[in-house]
Amino acid sequence: MPARTPATGDALAEALGYVAAWRGKCVVIKFGGRAMAEGSVGTLIEDVALLHRSGVRPVLVHGGGPEITDLLEKLDVPAKFVDGLRVTDQQTMKAVEMVLGGHVNKRLVGQLHAQGAQAVGLSGKDGNILEVVQHPRAELGFVGRVQKVNTKLLETLLDGGFVPVVASLGAGPEGRTFNVNADTAASAIAVALRAEKFILLTDVEGVLKDDELVSQLDPKSALALLQSGVVSKGMIPKVEACLSAVETGTPSAHIISAGRDRALLLELFTETGIGTMISAGSWGAQPFSG
Ligand SMILES: Nc1ncnc2c1ncn2[C@@H]1O[C@H](COP(=O)(O)OP(=O)(O)OP(=O)(O)O)[C@@H](O)[C@H]1O
Ligand SMILES: [Mg+2]
């Protein structure tokens, strides 16, 4: 057994303090497509199960970009994006619903069960969680813009001790399914549930500028990075989702790497955290800023 060092004791004391502070708090976590591709989930699911066991109320929201693109390739349907948003015609919509609501969603549920956390997989259509209208950019096709979030089903599941796993599909007019960017969907859910923290897991360390990680951003500087084009492609909806969350009541939003071992535990249970934090408040002043 390794010798006990004061540093280990300090780390434990710090972590336990955070564990106690986070009990009963809701955290909305978005898994990006690459973050959860088969075989690359790493410790993420274990971390979610651990958070849940520690009394945190985690809600997972997921996309599935690469797996949707794979299926579309097999079906010979070309994938097209405009500013990080998938152009979704009727055929694409069917593939998106199959992959997101079916395969990816149920795989995450199974992985959580394997770690001892009871999970329920659903899409934003279930219980009308995500009520959407067609995105104002009509050329995007069946892409929805969130109009309203109905939290009753999610709260019922959380109160019952389940981890909700939500595929980013929306309930559109006349019972139609719409594709909703998962970053945007997760942000709307975080705000509606009054989550204490909103975490986006992706395939980069966070927001990068000149190849360097930007570890903290206030809304003004985040907007400047969007306007200058430093933030592009799939990072655009992420930064916009964080901005919208912190501007409508979520204390802090974080973009972190899914590839970092123990990413979620480091983000919640250590003082420094990892990745990029976007927050409207003053740095370090919040009790749960870790
Ligand atoms: N300034 C920036 N900093 C970091 N990444 C950036 C930046 N600008 C653009 N990007 C791109 O954004 C990507 C992350 O968004 P992307 O949509 O590809 O991933 P995701 O949302 O995690 O997964 P998915 O959309 O497949 O569910 C990065 O891999 C990077 O290529
Ligand atoms: Mg994306």
Side-chain angles (χ1 to χ4, degrees):
M1 190 185 272
R4 292 178 183 211
T5 63
T8 309
D10 287 348
L12 204 56
E14 185 191 349
L16 283 173
Y18 278 106
V19 170
W22 276 103
R23 197 164 296 135
K25 301 279 188 295
C26 177
V27 177
V28 173
I29 304 161
K30 187 259 175 168
F31 276 30
R34 267 175 288 269
M36 46 170 204
E38 210 119 41
S40 64
V41 177
T43 54
L44 283 179
I45 296 285
E46 245 176 81
D47 285 4
V48 173
L50 263 169
L51 293 179
H52 182 240
R53 221 173 299 147
S54 314
V56 177
R57 288 155 68 95
V59 176
L60 294 196
V61 180
H62 66 87
E67 286 176 80
I68 294 167
T69 305
D70 277 359
L71 180 64
L72 289 175
E73 263 169 29
K74 284 183 191 132
L75 298 173
D76 240 351
V77 180
K80 249 176 73 188
F81 289 87
V82 176
D83 291 339
L85 298 172
R86 183 183 292 277
V87 177
T88 310
D89 61 14
Q90 205 156 18
Q91 231 182 336
T92 306
M93 189 60 247
K94 277 190 193 167
V96 170
E97 192 161 19
M98 274 194 267
V99 174
L100 286 193
H103 185 62
V104 175
N105 188 267
K106 301 313 162 200
R107 188 175 68 219
L108 285 169
V109 168
Q111 287 168 333
L112 281 163
H113 285 173
Q115 293 300 324
Q118 286 298 309
V120 175
L122 29 110
S123 85
K125 271 190 97 173
D126 296 285
N128 262 341
I129 295 172
L130 293 172
E131 272 183 41
V132 305
V133 291
Q134 184 166 26
H135 196 283
R137 292 175 75 170
E139 78 265 27
L140 293 171
F142 287 92
V143 171
R145 189 155 87 170
V146 180
Q147 192 83 336
K148 188 173 174 214
V149 180
N150 296 296
T151 56
K152 193 171 171 198
L153 178 56
L154 292 175
E155 273 160 2
T156 306
L157 292 172
L158 288 167
D159 290 346
F162 295 98
V163 179
V165 180
V166 187
S168 60
L169 301 169
E174 291 153 27
R176 292 219 181 96
T177 311
F178 278 74
N179 189 14
V180 183
N181 175 274
D183 303 323
T184 317
S187 160
I189 290 173
V191 171
L193 284 174
R194 295 191 174 80
E196 198 66 43
K197 208 187 261 283
F198 171 41
I199 302 177
L200 290 149
L201 288 156
T202 186
D203 62 341
V204 284
E205 287 298 314
V207 176
L208 305 174
K209 189 181 177 200
D210 303 325
D211 288 334
E212 298 261 325
L213 174 71
V214 184
S215 56
Q216 292 178 341
L217 281 171
D218 60 17
K220 207 172 142 211
S221 29
L223 208 58
L225 291 184
L226 277 170
Q227 282 162 352
S228 65
V230 167
V231 165
S232 65
K233 298 187 220 151
M235 194 51 69
I236 297 173
K238 254 178 252 308
V239 172
E240 286 178 347
C242 290
L243 277 174
S244 136
V246 300
E247 282 171 349
T248 43
T250 309
S252 68
H254 304 250
I255 301 170
I256 67 176
S257 166
R260 175 87 176 260
D261 215 28
R262 297 290 178 208
L264 287 172
L265 299 189
L266 288 170
E267 186 48 57
L268 259 80
F269 296 157
T270 66
E271 199 188 333
T272 43
I274 54 174
T276 301
M277 170 166 97
I278 302 180
S279 140
S282 56
W283 310 132
Q286 300 115 347
F288 306 117
S289 61

